[in-house]
């Protein structure tokens, strides 16, 4: 009787909906990103209680005054995995939906199995639903961990209704869904992993978490572009988005909150991948500087503010005579456009030509530079490399570089310098406007740099 509902096309990059297929998304201009999304089948009627007279949603909650709402805040579930709890803002909030994104192989399943084991040990009944691995494979992984995971219930299931049903039956207070891309609901057409499926499954789990109170942790695979595969819109649905990153060839893993309804964002937690699972790294600065060789040209240290914590990282630069053709610009952890700007500014304002040199820049330990405060360190590393002359020992570089070559002060200098002093640094190159002396760690020297010409001059002295 109802006309056949028409399917729509949804962009897997931005989630925009379009009536017709085309090669390029009208909203975000991404190519080949539109996929057909089948219309939802009408939901089964829920009898008389379900709908109002005109088929509306029926009676719902009444508005209430804020001060009339009981604030029965359930305590957070602490896993005791220090860095994980820290990034979440002090543990997992009951009834929250947390998305853990990351590239395949980075350690998401390992992390969440450890979390499940610890929750279970803390008396929180936990269900681990895996659509990617068999229970035997999960068991093998669990055997490697230091956490005893024996009490965790494992379910090899991808139908989201059945996952929720089992969670209810078990009385689970925490549910891990690994991964949201393998989950599907029979109410939508289309294969698991398509945008409609992923969004609908996440929405179901959200309702389940809000209505019945368990915490739900979703694994989401990240595409090469960096988005959680398929729908960016998933990030809007969930309460908290954590990204797990690092280079799978290195041991360090960085967990970063990019959205958190229950805590700060941009806090990071650092882990080390060992044979027995992920171990929290209590002192990230020490870990990132561990392999540093002082006295090597092209190496500079800066202090990043990661959320509220300062973290020291080493930046390495190598400038070498280019072979044929256009010189290469290769960077890891540094935005390549930012690098291009800094090279241009160095050339114009400090007279250091990089035009016919290959330039490679790397942030040690798999960290990414996301603030301009690291500009000065990148530039110092480049100057040091092109002159093949090591930077002064025990020196930190903190400052933003403007297009005029001027070096600007950055926020949070005291905390950055305190962290540096704690790790044996004795001086810092900073912008001229950097605040008063009183905040300096004892015995610490500030070298105020006007601009890049000034920096190049001082480093040559
Ligand atoms: P995994 O958690 O499967 O990654 P993801 O779920 O993000 O795809 O783990 C990735 C890698 O970690 C895998 O190659 C094996 C390694 N690993 C360890 O080094 N130590 C361990 O204790 C475990 C369980 C895994
Ligand atoms: Mg996995």
């Amino acid at each position: 009787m109802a006309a056949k509902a028409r399917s729509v096309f949804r962009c897997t990059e931005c989630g925009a909906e379009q009536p017709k297929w085309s090669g390029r998304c009208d909203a975000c201009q991404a190519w080949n990103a539109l996929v057909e999304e089948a219309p939802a089948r009408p939901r089964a009627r829920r009898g008389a209680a379900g709908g109002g007279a005109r088929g509306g949603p029926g009676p719902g909650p009444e508005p209430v005054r804020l001060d009339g709402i009981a604030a029965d805040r359930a305590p957070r579930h602490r896993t005791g995995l220090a860095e994980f709890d820290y990034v979440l803002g002090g543990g997992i909030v009951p009834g929250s939906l947390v998305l853990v994104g990351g590239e395949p192989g980075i350690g998401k399943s390992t992390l969440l199995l450890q979390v499940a084991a610890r929750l279970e040990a803390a008396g929180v009944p936990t269900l681990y639903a895996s659509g990617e691995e068999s229970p035997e494979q999960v068991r093998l992984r669990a055997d490697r961990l230091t956490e005893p995971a024996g009490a965790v219930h494992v379910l090899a299931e991808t139908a989201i209704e059945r996952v929720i049903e089992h969670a209810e039956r078990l009385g689970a207070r925490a549910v891990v869904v690994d991964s949201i891309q393998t989950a599907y609901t029979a109410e939508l057409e289309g294969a698991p992993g398509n945008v409609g499926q992923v969004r609908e499954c996440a929405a179901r789990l959200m309702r389940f978490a809000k209505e019945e109170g368990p915490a739900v942790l979703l694994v989401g695979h990240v595409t090469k572009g960096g988005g959680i595969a398929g729908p960016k819109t998933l990030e809007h649905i969930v309460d908290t988005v954590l990204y797990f990153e690092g280079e799978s060839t290195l041991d360090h893993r960085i967990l970063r909150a990019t959205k958190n309804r229950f805590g700060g964002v941009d806090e990071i937690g650092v882990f080390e991948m060992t044979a027995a699972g992920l171990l929290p790294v209590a002192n990230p600065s020490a870990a990132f500087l561990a392999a540093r060789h002082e006295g090597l040209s092209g190496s500079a240290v800066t202090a990043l503010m990661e959320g509220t914590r300062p973290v020291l990282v080493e930046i390495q630069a190598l400038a070498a005579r280019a072979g044929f053709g256009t010189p290469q610009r290769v960077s890891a952890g540094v935005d390549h456009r930012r690098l291009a700007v800094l090279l241009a500014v160095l050339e114009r304002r400090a007279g250091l030509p990089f035009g016919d040199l290959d330039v490679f820049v790397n942030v040690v330990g798999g960290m990414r530079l996301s603030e301009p405060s690291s500009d000065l360190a990148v530039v110092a590393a480049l100057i040091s490399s092109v002159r093949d002359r090591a930077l002064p020992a025990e020196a930190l570089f903190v400052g933003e570089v403007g297009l005029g070559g001027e070096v600007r002060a950055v926020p949070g200098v005291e905390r950055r310098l305190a962290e540096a002093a704690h790790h044996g640094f004795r001086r810092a190159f900073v912008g001229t406007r950097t605040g008063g002396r009183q905040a300096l760690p004892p015995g610490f020297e500030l070298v105020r740099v006007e601009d890049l010409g000034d920096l190049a001059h001082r480093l040559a002295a």
Side-chain angles (χ1 to χ4, degrees), residues 177-259:
V177 177
D178 187 0
S179 65
I180 191 66
Q181 275 100 358
T182 55
Y184 80 98
T185 166
E187 278 191 30
L188 285 184
E189 284 163 21
N194 101 8
V195 198
Q197 285 284 2
V198 166
R199 276 160 42 104
E200 181 59 24
C201 290
R204 292 282 168 94
L205 290 166
M206 185 63 156
R207 246 174 287 144
F208 173 55
K210 298 299 164 208
E211 285 166 11
E212 304 190 30
V216 178
L217 300 136
L218 302 178
V219 169
H221 293 293
V222 162
T223 55
K224 281 192 224 82
I228 303 238
K232 264 280 185 205
T233 41
L234 209 51
E235 300 186 357
H236 304 297
I237 298 175
V238 302
D239 295 310
T240 301
V241 180
L242 306 179
Y243 273 96
F244 206 33
E245 51 195 32
E247 305 194 11
S248 42
T249 50
L250 295 174
D251 293 339
H252 291 131
R253 300 283 182 276
I254 296 148
L255 187 68
R256 182 187 300 274
T258 59
K259 168 181 175 179

Side-chain angles (χ1 to χ4, degrees), residues 274-310:
T274 70
L278 292 152
L279 293 183
V281 172
N283 190 338
S285 297
F288 290 135
L289 297 186
R292 192 165 69 107
H293 291 284
E294 282 180 36
L296 215 60
S297 68
S299 156
V301 176
T302 191
L304 305 173
M305 286 306 292
E306 295 292 344
T308 51
R309 277 203 301 198

Side-chain angles (χ1 to χ4, degrees), residues 314-334:
E314 179 190 1
I315 295 164
Q316 294 183 332
L318 182 67
R321 192 148 302 283
F324 279 116
T326 320
Q328 301 188 64
R329 304 288 182 246
V330 182
S331 61
V334 185

